[in-house]
């Protein structure tokens, strides 16, 4: 059976929740796909998130890995095109680590491109009436670090992997004036992203032949 690993993040920066994990949990609650869906909560720490992801990939041997993170201030679901080999934190992570211009992997390659069909994902989500677009920058915080580490972990294998940023929930954005999106819509978008990725990963075994 095909296995999908879908991860979200714990709250950080004093927030009460994290819409990435809230949405991932909703995806799991409504999951009816043929693939086995494994969800996991990751810490918002540079060292912990990457180490946990490597362990999860080793434990579950997934065919598809999608990390999900919160992008405060974004107004759309944004599949990330690229992760760069830089950790540079505006605020400390949940362990108090605040790197400046540190490599994710010492002597690692400069960047990794997503293995997900990012344009197809964004287009299908938008067709469903949910704002979505491809992002060319995953930032330099824990989300980028996790995406880079994930891609480094699966390079040279048949595992498809990538990362998607999602907006704040209305509860998180309350009183800030920042854009938000209902968690239910974020969950629908993530389910679509998984569906589109599986379609790309597993071609139709019985194509019509004239």
């Amino acid at each position: 059976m095909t296995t999908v690993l879908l991860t979200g993040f714990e709250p950080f920066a004093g927030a009460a929740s994290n819409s990435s994990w809230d949405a991932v949990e909703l995806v799991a609650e409504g999951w009816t796909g043929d693939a086995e869906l494994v969800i996991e909560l990751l810490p918002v720490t540079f060292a912990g998130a990457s180490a946990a992801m490597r362990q999860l990939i080793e434990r579950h041997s997934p065919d598809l890995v999608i990390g999900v993170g919160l992008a405060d201030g974004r107004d759309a679901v944004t599949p990330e095109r690229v992760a760069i080999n830089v950790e540079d934190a505006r605020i400390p992570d949940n362990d108090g680590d605040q790197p400046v211009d540190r490599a994710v992997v010492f002597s690692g390659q400069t960047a990794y491109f997503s293995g997900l069909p990012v344009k197809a994902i964004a287009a299908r989500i938008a067709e469903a009436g949910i704002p979505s677009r491809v992002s060319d920058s995953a930032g330099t915080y824990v989300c980028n670090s996790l995406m880079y580490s994930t891609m480094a972990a699966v390079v040279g294998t048949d595992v498809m992997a990538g990362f998607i940023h999602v907006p704040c929930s209305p509860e998180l954005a309350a009183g800030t004036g920042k854009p938000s999106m209902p968690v239910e819509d974020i969950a629908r978008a993530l389910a679509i992203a998984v569906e589109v990725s599986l379609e790309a990963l597993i071609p139709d075994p019985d194509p019509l032949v004239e």
Side-chain angles (χ1 to χ4, degrees):
M1 177 180 288
T2 302
T3 300
V4 178
L5 174 60
L6 186 66
T7 69
F9 279 110
E10 67 184 359
F12 67 105
S17 62
N18 188 315
S19 51
S20 69
W21 178 243
D22 293 342
V24 165
E25 286 192 303
L26 280 183
V27 173
E29 288 175 11
W31 183 250
T32 59
D34 293 332
E36 178 186 8
L37 178 65
V38 177
I39 65 168
E40 291 287 348
L41 176 66
L42 300 181
V44 180
T45 65
F46 286 98
S50 296
M53 180 63 88
R54 288 192 295 269
Q55 292 169 2
L56 289 168
I57 291 172
E58 182 176 352
R59 182 187 312 154
H60 298 289
S61 299
D63 303 281
L64 172 63
V65 181
I66 300 180
V68 185
L70 172 63
D72 186 17
R74 291 195 187 179
D75 60 359
V77 175
T78 51
E80 296 294 345
R81 192 194 303 269
V82 62
I84 60 174
N85 193 16
V86 174
E87 295 176 338
D88 193 80
R90 178 180 58 85
I91 59 174
D93 69 10
N94 283 355
D95 278 346
D97 187 18
Q98 190 173 7
V100 176
D101 291 340
R102 183 175 69 194
V104 179
V105 176
F106 181 72
S107 295
Q109 68 181 57
T110 302
Y112 284 105
F113 284 102
S114 174
L116 304 178
V118 292
K119 285 193 173 182
I121 288 172
R124 186 84 65 85
I125 293 172
E127 287 171 6
I130 302 169
S132 183
R133 60 180 178 273
V134 175
S135 167
D136 292 325
S137 175
T140 54
Y141 198 52
V142 177
C143 290
N144 171 79
S145 181
L146 177 69
M147 180 180 174
Y148 184 96
S149 298
T150 302
M151 302 313 300
V154 304
V155 68
T157 74
D158 293 329
V159 179
M160 178 184 287
F163 193 90
I164 299 175
H165 266 124
V166 300
C168 289
S169 64
E171 293 76 17
L172 285 176
T176 67
K178 294 178 180 178
S180 66
M181 181 178 290
V183 172
E184 294 78 9
D185 286 351
I186 298 173
R188 280 203 299 135
L190 295 179
I192 290 169
V194 172
E195 177 185 341
V196 173
S197 298
L198 287 174
E199 289 172 1
L201 182 66
I202 308 171
D204 185 351
D206 298 308
L208 295 176
V209 178
E210 295 184 0

